[in-house]
């Protein structure tokens, strides 16, 4: 009788692709620098008035953080229940027959688009430079302004946040931007999930619009080539590509799909004499490419990352997928994207609430620091009549010690003697 050896499960690969693609965490919260303590020259006893009322500030802030996180968790539960209801309803309409019909229509439109693109690029020979110089510059300008206004976004390391702050108000602004970044991420994921609420109806609507636009554009290639170029590359191709079935191969050339993006091209070859000359010269830094690129996050299938402007302008769309795989996509987005993003947002909101409370408490203390209040605190708990014994002196002399007596020299007047 031979022993049966069971094969050990392979633990080298993650159980789910999203498990190895966690959402980028927000940067570390900077700390307001502390002032160096004022070290007294004297030996000071404990404050007779007891600890200040602010001793409970930390406890209050911690409890407020818990409340904020609980509020966010309640919102998330309501969102998840609504998503579950919509998925159940969508499965009734998005059947295998419906999927097959929509996929067949997409393949037909793919052939039509290939022919339309051929006509457009033939009619407008400078189509590529026209897009690069006009359309792409517009999109990059918008993207640059957006980044200047709001920062580079939540998918970028550090999220554009400062690493140091110098005041509580600076720290509050840091937390406000952190909340804004993480709120933008949650909103973006919710928009992707919303696109998958009714895949049957949404995909049918997109294919109908694309079919009509293909027909209309074919009629104006000769009379209005500028509109034809714009409609093809700004609307038709991005929309057609967004809903493509992932198991189908588009016949559209890649160069018509990826426009306005950074392209790495090899530098032109230089003569050897010029190369030797440049070895002795300092080479300037190559300019970094800053085009309308996105930062993809598609571990669940749909891209929940930072989209480029063409993708954003058409909005999130579902793509053609086998109906039996549809629920898994939604479950993945909620489990690996919406839930952790909401948790990070809850922590950010709690951090903002804590520093806001700290500012309010600090301002309240400052407003109450009048000369009368300072005098009251100065006198609080001190005995009457006042005794100096508990307080040391600057020179290190102990309060219990009497000052050394000095013998009077002959002819020297005693300062304590009464005047004649």
């Amino acid at each position: 009788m031979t022993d049966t050896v069971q094969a050990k499960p392979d633990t080298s690969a993650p159980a789910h692709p999203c498990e190895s693609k966690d959402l980028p965490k927000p940067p570390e919260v900077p700390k307001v620098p502390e002032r160096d303590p004022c070290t007294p020259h004297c030996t000071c006893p404990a404050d007779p008035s007891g600890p200040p009322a602010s001793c409970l500030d930390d406890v209050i802030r911690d409890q407020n953080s818990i409340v904020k996180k609980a509020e966010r968790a309640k919102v998330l539960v309501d969102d998840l229940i609504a998503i579950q209801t919509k998925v159940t309803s969508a499965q009734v309409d998005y059947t295998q027959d419906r999927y097959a019909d929509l996929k067949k229509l997409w393949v037909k439109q793919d052939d039509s688009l290939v022919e339309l693109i051929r006509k457009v690029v033939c009619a407008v020979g400078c189509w590529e430079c026209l897009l690069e110089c006009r359309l792409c510059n517009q999109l990059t300008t918008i993207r640059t302004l957006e980044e200047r206004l709001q920062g580079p976004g939540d998918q970028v390391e550090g999220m554009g946040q400062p690493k140091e702050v110098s005041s509580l108000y600076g720290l509050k602004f840091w937390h406000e931007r952190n909340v804004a970044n993480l709120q933008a991420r949650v909103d973006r994921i919710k928009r992707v999930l919303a696109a998958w609420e009714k895949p049957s109806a949404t995909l049918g609507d997109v294919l109908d619009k694309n079919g009509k636009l293909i027909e209309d554009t074919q009629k104006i290639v000769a009379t209005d080539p500028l509109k034809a170029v714009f409609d093809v590359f700004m609307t038709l191709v991005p929309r057609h590509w967004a809903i493509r079935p992932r198991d189908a191969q588009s016949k559209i050339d890649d160069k018509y799909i990826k426009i306005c993006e950074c392209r790495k091209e090899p530098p032109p070859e230089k003569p050897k004499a010029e190369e030797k000359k440049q070895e002795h010269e300092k080479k300037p830094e190559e300019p970094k490419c800053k085009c309308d690129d996105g930062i993809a996050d598609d571990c669940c299938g749909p891209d929940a990352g930072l989209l480029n402007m063409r993708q954003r302008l058409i909005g999130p769309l579902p793509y053609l997928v086998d109906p039996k795989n549809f629920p898994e996509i939604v479950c993945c987005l909620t489990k690996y994207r919406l839930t952790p993003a909401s948790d990070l947002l809850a922590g950010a909101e709690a951090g903002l609430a804590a520093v806001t409370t700290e500012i309010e408490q600090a301002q309240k203390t400052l407003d109450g620091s009048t000369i009368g209040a300072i005098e009251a605190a100065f006198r609080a708990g001190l005995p009457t009549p006042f005794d100096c014994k508990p307080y040391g002196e600057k020179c290190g002399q102990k309060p219990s010690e009497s000052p050394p007596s000095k013998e009077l020299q002959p002819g020297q007047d005693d300062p304590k003697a009464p005047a004649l």
Side-chain angles (χ1 to χ4, degrees):
M1 181 176 180
T2 56
D3 294 333
T4 303
V5 180
Q6 293 184 347
K8 294 183 178 179
D10 181 14
T11 57
S12 59
H16 193 281
C18 283
E19 291 181 1
S20 61
K21 291 184 67 175
D22 290 337
L23 285 171
K25 299 294 188 292
E28 291 292 328
V29 180
K31 292 184 179 180
V32 179
E34 299 284 348
R35 279 175 60 91
D36 292 334
C38 176
T39 305
H41 294 88
C42 304
T43 304
C44 301
D47 191 341
S49 62
S54 60
C55 64
L56 294 175
D57 288 351
D58 289 343
V59 178
I60 293 171
R61 283 195 294 270
D62 289 344
Q63 294 304 308
N64 278 336
S65 296
I66 294 172
V67 170
K68 284 289 181 183
K69 290 180 180 179
E71 290 174 354
R72 172 58 57 181
K74 176 65 169 64
V75 171
L76 177 60
V77 169
D78 292 341
D79 288 341
L80 294 177
I81 292 173
I83 291 169
Q84 185 181 43
T85 303
K86 290 170 183 174
V87 168
T88 303
S89 175
Q91 285 180 288
V92 175
D93 299 323
Y94 193 48
T95 62
Q96 287 289 342
D97 289 340
R98 175 66 170 165
Y99 165 65
D101 291 341
L102 292 173
K103 187 174 181 180
K104 187 183 299 183
L105 182 56
W106 182 90
V107 172
K108 182 180 178 182
Q109 288 185 1
D110 194 68
D111 292 333
S112 299
L113 257 176
V114 170
E115 178 60 21
L116 176 60
I117 291 172
R118 187 192 65 78
K119 291 180 180 178
V120 170
V121 299
C122 184
V124 186
C126 62
W127 69 272
E128 191 169 15
C129 290
L130 175 65
L131 291 174
E132 288 283 344
C133 301
R134 301 287 297 180
L135 179 63
C136 297
N137 272 346
Q138 286 180 274
L139 299 181
T140 302
T141 299
I142 296 170
R143 188 68 176 271
T144 302
L145 180 60
E146 179 185 59
E147 188 169 315
R148 179 176 171 82
L149 181 66
Q150 300 176 351
D154 64 274
Q155 297 293 95
V156 179
E157 184 180 358
M159 300 185 186
Q161 290 276 64
K163 294 182 179 180
E164 296 179 358
V165 296
S166 59
S167 67
L168 280 176
Y169 281 108
L171 183 60
K172 182 184 179 185
F173 174 76
W174 188 98
H175 279 286
E176 287 173 341
R177 288 307 312 155
N178 192 41
V179 169
N181 280 331
L182 299 182
Q183 182 68 63
R185 172 190 286 173
V186 169
D187 292 343
R188 190 174 65 241
I189 296 168
K190 283 185 175 181
R191 286 194 294 271
V192 174
L193 280 164
W196 285 84
E197 287 178 3
K198 298 178 180 179
S200 177
T202 303
L203 289 167
D205 181 59
V206 171
L207 287 166
D208 288 344
K209 288 179 179 177
N210 280 3
K212 185 176 187 310
L213 190 54
I214 288 172
E215 291 179 5
D216 293 343
T217 306
Q218 287 172 338
K219 299 173 184 176
I220 63 167
V221 173
T223 57
D224 196 349
L226 286 179
K227 180 168 175 55
V229 169
F230 187 88
D231 286 346
V232 166
F233 292 102
M234 272 296 291
T235 305
L236 272 172
V237 171
R239 212 156 54 186
H240 179 77
W241 186 251
I243 67 169
R244 73 191 186 282
R246 299 317 192 242
D247 59 349
Q249 185 71 34
S250 174
K251 296 178 183 176
I252 301 174
D253 194 297
D254 200 51
K255 67 182 179 181
Y256 301 127
I257 297 170
K258 294 182 179 180
I259 63 169
C260 300
E261 298 177 8
C262 292
R263 285 181 287 184
K264 294 182 180 179
E265 297 179 356
E269 294 185 5
K270 298 176 181 177
K272 291 183 179 180
E274 188 177 345
E275 286 182 0
K276 290 182 179 179
K277 182 182 177 182
Q278 288 187 349
E279 285 178 1
H280 303 285
E281 298 176 358
K282 186 177 180 181
K283 296 181 180 179
E285 291 186 8
E286 294 183 4
K288 294 181 179 179
C289 182
K290 298 286 286 185
C291 297
D292 184 32
D293 292 348
I295 302 178
D297 177 24
D298 53 1
C299 72
C300 292
D303 189 352
L306 295 174
L307 306 180
N308 61 36
M309 290 305 302
R310 289 201 306 159
Q311 292 171 317
R312 265 188 273 178
L313 289 170
I314 65 170
L317 292 171
Y319 55 81
L320 287 156
V321 65
D322 193 305
K324 67 175 180 288
N325 297 329
F326 158 60
E328 174 58 29
I329 290 174
V330 178
C331 288
C332 177
L333 284 169
T334 54
K335 181 178 179 180
Y336 293 103
R337 286 299 175 257
L338 181 60
T339 300
S342 295
D343 290 343
L344 291 173
L345 176 58
E349 289 176 334
L352 175 58
V355 74
T356 301
T357 301
E358 188 175 356
I359 288 174
E360 292 171 352
Q361 291 166 341
Q363 190 61 55
K364 184 178 179 180
T365 300
L366 289 174
D367 292 342
S369 297
T370 62
I371 191 166
I374 293 172
E375 180 185 0
F378 172 72
R379 297 175 63 92
L382 296 179
T384 304
F386 176 68
D387 184 8
C388 264
K389 285 183 179 180
Y391 296 85
E393 295 185 5
K394 279 188 178 181
C395 297
Q397 177 181 307
K398 296 180 180 179
S400 59
E401 293 179 351
S402 300
S405 58
K406 295 182 180 179
E407 295 182 1
L408 296 176
Q409 300 296 326
Q412 183 178 0
D413 293 333
D414 185 352
K416 296 182 181 179
L420 298 175

